[in-house]
Each structure stands twice: as C-alpha cells, then as structure tokens.
Amino acid sequence: MKMTSFASSATQDLMRLASIPHRSALSPFRCSSQIPRPQLSFSSSVQGFTSRIAIERKGRSSIPQAAAVRQLEGSLNRTEGLRFAVVVARFNEIVTKPLLEGALDTFRKYSVKEENVDVVWVPGSFEIGVVAQSLGKSQKYHAILCIGAVIKGDTSHYDAVVNSAASGVLSAGVNSGVPCIFGVLTCDNMDQALNRAGGKSGNKGSECALTAGTADAMRRCSWILEEYPVSEFLVLPGHHLYRMNYQKLIETHRKGKADITAVALSTARNQDPGFGLLKIDAENQVLEFTVKSETEPIQVRSSRNPVEIASIDKWSMGIFLINRDIMLKLLHEHFPKANDFQSEVITGAISRGMKVQAYLFDGYWNDMRSIKSYYQANMECIEKSNLGYNFSDRDSPLYTMPRNLPPTLISDAVITDSIIGDGCIIKRCKIKGTVIGMNTRIDDGAVIEDSVIMGFDICEVEGVQRSSRDGKGNGIIPIGIGENTHIRKSIIDKNARIGKNVMIINKDKVQEGDREADGYIIKEGIVVVLHSAILPDGSIL
C-alpha cells in the first residue's frame, strides 16, 4: 500500500509572508492520493508543529489493516468549555483594535461564547508578558492571546520593546504552563501594520485566535487515541511533499519492537531541514537527538546507551510512529503541560530511555516552509531532467478534486515545459517552465517564464471591467495578466489584477524587499505578487 503526504499548512508565518492561502502544495492541484486502504487521520498544531495523526487498527493478521476514512481537525470546532484571555496593548490602538476585532470575530465564528473570552488592555507591548503570565497562572484559561503592534522608528527603542515583548510572552507560557500566543506585530512602518490588521495581508488577530484553538490540540484530541482500538499512531508534519510506503515503516517499527520510530533522511543535505539531528548506531537505534527550540538547541541522550559507541548523524523528517500506550503516557503522565511535540515530548521520551529507532527514507522529499522551497518544488515538478515529484507516476497517481470548470482554451500560444490548470483562457502568448492555476486569463503578447500563477476563483465577463471606472476616472484592471506583460521567476497569488505592459522581472536583482503597500514583496530573489493585488499598466517590478 503506497500512501502520499501532499499538503501545506499553517506554516502560517512563512507562507503568509506572501499572503498565499493555505492549499495543497502546488497551486493548480488540490491533490489526494488514490489509496485503496485509507487510514483514519486528523491534523493538529502544537505551537506551530502542524501534525497529521494516522490511526492504524489492530487486526488478526500481522499485516496492518486500515480503517475507514474519518477526518478530525484539531481546531476551534470543539469549543465547549474552553476559556480564552486576550491581552491587548493600547499603544498603536489604530492597529491593535482591528487585530482584537479579528480575534473576537474568529472566536464568534467558531461558537466560543462571549462570556468565555476576557479582554485585558495594557499600556503597551512591553507590559503584555507580565499580565499574560499572571492570567496563565490563574489556571482559568486554556490559552492566552497576546496582541500588540511595535512600529520601527529612528532609535533603538524599537529593538528593546520587540525583544522584551517576545521574551515576555515566551516566559509567560513557560512559567504558567498555559499556551501564550504571540500576536505582536513588528513592522517597519504603519502601512505594513495596517495591512496585517485587516488589510492586504489579512488579519493577524484572527490567525492568532485560530492558533490559540489548536495550540494544545493533540492533547485535547487524545480522546481519539483512547476511543479507537489501534496499535500505533503516525504523526506527520503537514507541509511536506514526498511519496512514502508507510507499510514498510510500520513493519520496521514492529520488527524492531520500538516504542517510537523516527523517520530520517538517508542522504546528506546541505541545509538543516529544521526537524533536528538524530545520532544513530549501526542498528539504527537513536543514541542522541538535537533539536532547535525558541531559545537554544536542546540535546538529549538516551539512557539506554550510556557508553559512547560508533554512530552516524541523520536529519530527522519530523515524522514519528508511536505505540498507542506510549503516546497516552507521554501526553498525560510524563509531559501533561508540554506544548511542543518534538522538542518536549520526543526529547523527553529519549531521555527517559524509551526505545527509539530510526527509519531511513531515501526518496524525494521537500519541506515547503518558505517561499523559496515552495517555488523550487513547483519548478522541480515540471523539469525534464532532475524531475522532483512526479505527479504522473502510473504506480501511484495523484488526482485533482473534481471541479465544474470548462476545459482550458488556448489560442495560438507557445507553451513549453509547463502545467496548465482547468478553466483557463490563454491567448497569443509565450509560456515556459511555468505552473498555471485554474481560471487564469492571459492576454496577447504576454511572456511568462519560470513562474507560478496561483489562478483565480473569481469570474468576470471579458471586456466589462476595462470599460468600468473606479470613481477616479480610471479603468478598472480585469483579473488576469494583461497584454504584453512579462513575468519571470515570480509567484502570482490568487485574484491578482495585472495590467498591460507590466514588467515583473526583478531587473535590479533584489533579494529581499517589502512593498506590501504596492502589492508585492521579494523573498530570496523571488517576486511575490500578493493576493488580490492590483498592478497598473506599465508597472515595473
């Protein structure tokens, strides 16, 4: 049985840098594997660690059997009895008030009762940590949202306040044992702050509320662990792109009689994937585990191997197969207040001498937690040589979700090494090495190279918008890509309106740039046009 992990999560902070909505990893697709024996799974996020737990039922056979599919999301959907506190800074109230309103609207949307949310105002972001810690220690709340806004000025005061606010919120969570969610905006100017408080970049207060609902989700959803007659739980990060046969992983876990099996990359990588470093012996037993935390690296050594022996280092993939009884003990008995699954729960299991072994994976794997890695994954899927993830693998195909869209219409266009979604209208243009999302409109003379076009979920009658006005006498630019526009090495987020004769080519080769007010940013040399941005005719980026 081959199963595929193909999702992107909340890596909210990194992916939302470009206001990219959370979706399946490569934009034109909303993919799911064709799995003959689907497993029960649910997703959760524990302090930014987004996980999918797959449950495998016991059976008479030694071969693992899968249950019927049932999806459960660790979120605010189960809000009965949950209480939240919101600590809000009054300084920069023009920003913090919309952030608070976004958080409260999210709570209302998910049926959190108003009497179960307490709002506490403090003078500024500097004071948030002290009040949050006091509220946490009262043991009245399941999570505390910390909302503020610090805008950079001409002095070093900004750095002092930002550092104090961040360390204060972190300390409040550690000392009180209650998740304290950091929702303090740190911006270069007021435009950036307002964009993040309900403007072009969404409302970070709303995102903060969602995070509060899922910070302790794995533990709060542990009733699933107790309810189902299962043997093991498979914990998966939700922002990876790879194809793995989980059956082999399960068989290796059982054969080794391990308490926990950690999946690691068998081949060396130039960069740390960010899930820690495993030191293993010749039999793949984990001797030592080093993982990053918010403050400093955490290194633990297994008490099962007190004597130094020969070992090799392998990067962890953040994937763990855990025995059911061990999972329950770790979450409820050994670490009942832990908020981070990897840096607290897994490291704790190793230090306690539990049998933790490694399973080495040698296939394609991409961790899409940044703009650059997301872009590279898209480009690799269309390369003829050095093909990354093969979406056309006949042994394990992927299918898009069914849509009621017309077929794509292509009129005298030159298209090479590209993927085109459904419902597009592509006129006399040139497209090379590009992923084109659904409902995209591309006009005559456009040239698009090495880019990702997210697509559109808005439909407009062609020609109507050009003839209408925006109140200032200007014609409104229609959705899509206008005539004679040139786009190179860029990501165009959904519903962008790009006018005629626009140049998105990063002609000055800028590596980092924040022009949210103008509808785009640049990350690691990649231009990202933001969601619903409008680029007037003749714009040069």
Side-chain angles (χ1 to χ4, degrees):
M1 176 180 66
K2 291 188 176 181
M3 301 181 68
T4 302
S5 173
F6 183 70
S8 71
S9 82
T11 69
Q12 290 182 344
D13 291 340
L14 288 170
M15 297 306 285
R16 290 290 296 181
L17 284 173
S19 297
I20 298 174
H22 300 302
R23 55 170 65 83
S24 293
L26 305 184
S27 175
F29 307 98
R30 186 178 297 273
C31 295
S32 60
S33 296
Q34 184 183 36
I35 304 173
R37 292 179 178 175
Q39 292 184 332
L40 168 64
S41 65
F42 72 91
S43 293
S44 65
S45 177
V46 182
Q47 291 284 43
F49 182 82
T50 306
S51 308
R52 183 171 297 275
I53 296 183
I55 300 177
E56 193 234 354
R57 293 181 177 274
K58 290 179 179 177
R60 294 181 181 178
S61 171
S62 60
I63 299 176
Q65 301 294 321
V69 171
R70 178 182 175 191
Q71 296 285 339
L72 300 110
E73 294 290 334
S75 67
L76 283 173
N77 291 333
R78 296 169 58 87
T79 59
E80 301 86 356
L82 297 183
R83 288 184 59 85
F84 301 97
V86 187
V87 183
V88 192
R90 196 173 293 280
F91 193 74
N92 287 324
E93 188 173 354
I94 190 175
V95 178
T96 60
K97 190 172 181 180
L99 291 173
L100 172 62
E101 291 172 351
L104 296 179
D105 284 345
T106 298
F107 282 141
R108 281 190 289 269
K109 177 181 177 181
Y110 288 94
S111 303
V112 177
K113 296 180 179 179
E114 291 188 4
E115 57 266 29
N116 288 341
V117 180
D118 294 331
V119 178
V120 180
W121 289 87
V122 296
S125 297
F126 190 87
E127 294 80 15
I128 288 177
V130 176
V131 176
Q133 181 168 316
S134 177
L135 292 171
K137 287 186 174 180
S138 72
Q139 299 299 310
K140 294 180 180 179
Y141 307 101
H142 290 84
I144 299 169
L145 281 65
C146 302
I147 292 176
V150 186
I151 300 175
K152 197 169 188 176
D154 297 328
T155 68
S156 60
H157 179 69
Y158 168 86
D159 295 322
V161 174
V162 168
N163 292 335
S164 296
S167 60
V169 173
L170 174 62
S171 176
V174 172
N175 293 325
S176 68
V178 174
C180 293
I181 313 304
F182 188 76
V184 179
L185 299 184
T186 56
C187 305
D188 291 333
N189 52 58
M190 182 60 75
D191 285 340
Q192 285 185 8
L194 292 174
N195 280 333
R196 290 168 168 80
K200 295 179 180 178
S201 299
N203 191 304
K204 302 304 177 183
S206 176
E207 294 178 12
C208 192
L210 285 173
T211 303
T214 59
D216 198 28
M218 191 174 292
R219 185 180 293 104
R220 288 193 289 107
C221 288
S222 61
W223 59 271
I224 300 172
L225 280 64
E226 298 170 355
E227 178 178 340
Y228 288 89
V230 301
S231 302
E232 299 96 358
F233 295 93
L234 183 58
V235 182
L236 309 171
H239 39 74
H240 293 175
L241 176 61
Y242 64 98
R243 180 182 284 108
M244 180 186 295
N245 188 339
Y246 293 144
Q247 194 88 326
K248 293 181 180 179
L249 168 61
I250 295 170
E251 291 170 357
T252 300
H253 174 81
R254 293 180 176 177
K255 185 177 180 180
K257 298 181 179 180
D259 296 319
I260 300 173
T261 296
V263 182
L265 295 169
S266 64
T267 56
R269 295 174 69 96
N270 294 328
Q271 293 182 332
D272 177 6
F275 295 96
L277 185 66
L278 295 166
K279 191 179 290 293
I280 62 177
D281 64 15
E283 297 180 351
N284 289 342
Q285 300 302 306
V286 174
L287 308 176
E288 190 174 288
F289 186 35
T290 304
V291 62
K292 293 180 180 179
S293 69
E294 294 182 358
T295 53
E296 59 185 16
I298 299 173
Q299 185 178 73
V300 295
R301 185 169 182 82
S302 174
S303 59
R304 296 172 62 90
N305 303 92
V307 181
E308 289 287 343
I309 59 176
S311 63
I312 56 175
D313 293 337
K314 297 293 182 181
W315 292 116
S316 169
M317 293 172 60
I319 297 173
F320 302 96
L321 183 65
I322 308 176
N323 291 342
R324 175 181 181 275
D325 293 341
I326 295 297
M327 175 77 92
L328 293 173
K329 287 181 180 179
L330 288 172
L331 293 179
H332 293 291
E333 298 179 20
H334 299 316
F335 309 104
K337 293 186 177 181
N339 290 315
D340 188 89
F341 188 75
Q342 183 163 261
S343 66
E344 295 181 75
V345 177
I346 296 298
T347 56
I350 294 172
S351 65
R352 285 178 169 270
M354 293 184 178
K355 187 175 182 181
V356 181
Q357 68 179 19
Y359 175 83
L360 301 183
F361 176 70
D362 60 359
Y364 174 85
W365 178 78
N366 197 315
D367 176 29
M368 294 178 291
R369 288 188 293 177
S370 70
I371 297 300
K372 184 177 181 179
S373 60
Y374 174 86
Y375 173 82
Q376 287 178 340
N378 277 271
M379 294 299 100
E380 288 173 356
C381 79
I382 54 179
E383 290 181 357
K384 289 184 178 178
S385 60
N386 192 30
L387 179 66
Y389 190 96
N390 184 8
F391 289 95
S392 301
D393 188 338
R394 293 187 177 183
D395 294 330
S396 185
L398 292 173
Y399 300 97
T400 58
M401 295 288 286
R403 303 186 184 95
N404 296 318
L405 292 174
T408 288
L409 175 63
I410 301 175
S411 303
D412 199 24
V414 178
I415 303 174
T416 56
D417 300 334
S418 299
I419 294 175
I420 310 296
D422 297 335
C424 299
I425 298 177
I426 300 175
K427 297 185 179 180
R428 188 164 48 85
C429 61
K430 294 182 180 179
I431 300 173
K432 180 181 178 181
T434 294
V435 178
I436 304 291
M438 64 180 186
N439 278 332
T440 299
R441 305 294 192 263
I442 304 176
D443 281 343
D444 292 339
V447 178
I448 306 175
E449 303 173 289
D450 304 325
S451 296
V452 180
I453 313 299
M454 291 282 191
F456 302 84
D457 52 23
I458 298 174
C459 293
E460 292 178 338
V461 178
E462 189 173 3
V464 171
Q465 289 295 337
R466 278 280 181 194
S467 61
S468 60
R469 301 288 165 177
D470 62 0
K472 300 179 181 180
N474 302 315
I476 297 176
I477 296 172
I479 62 170
I481 298 168
E483 294 177 0
N484 301 313
T485 286
H486 193 171
I487 301 174
R488 182 194 307 139
K489 196 180 179 182
S490 302
I491 298 175
I492 311 300
D493 204 350
K494 291 181 68 175
N495 301 335
R497 298 172 182 268
I498 299 175
K500 301 178 180 179
N501 301 304
V502 174
M503 302 290 285
I504 308 176
I505 58 176
N506 192 9
K507 64 184 181 66
D508 296 326
K509 294 181 170 52
V510 177
Q511 290 301 302
E512 299 291 330
D514 193 341
R515 299 291 296 274
E516 285 192 33
D518 298 319
Y520 72 96
I521 63 174
I522 301 175
K523 290 292 180 183
E524 299 182 271
I526 301 167
V527 179
V528 181
V529 177
L530 303 180
H531 188 283
S532 300
I534 300 175
L535 300 185
D537 295 350
S539 298
I540 300 177
L541 278 60

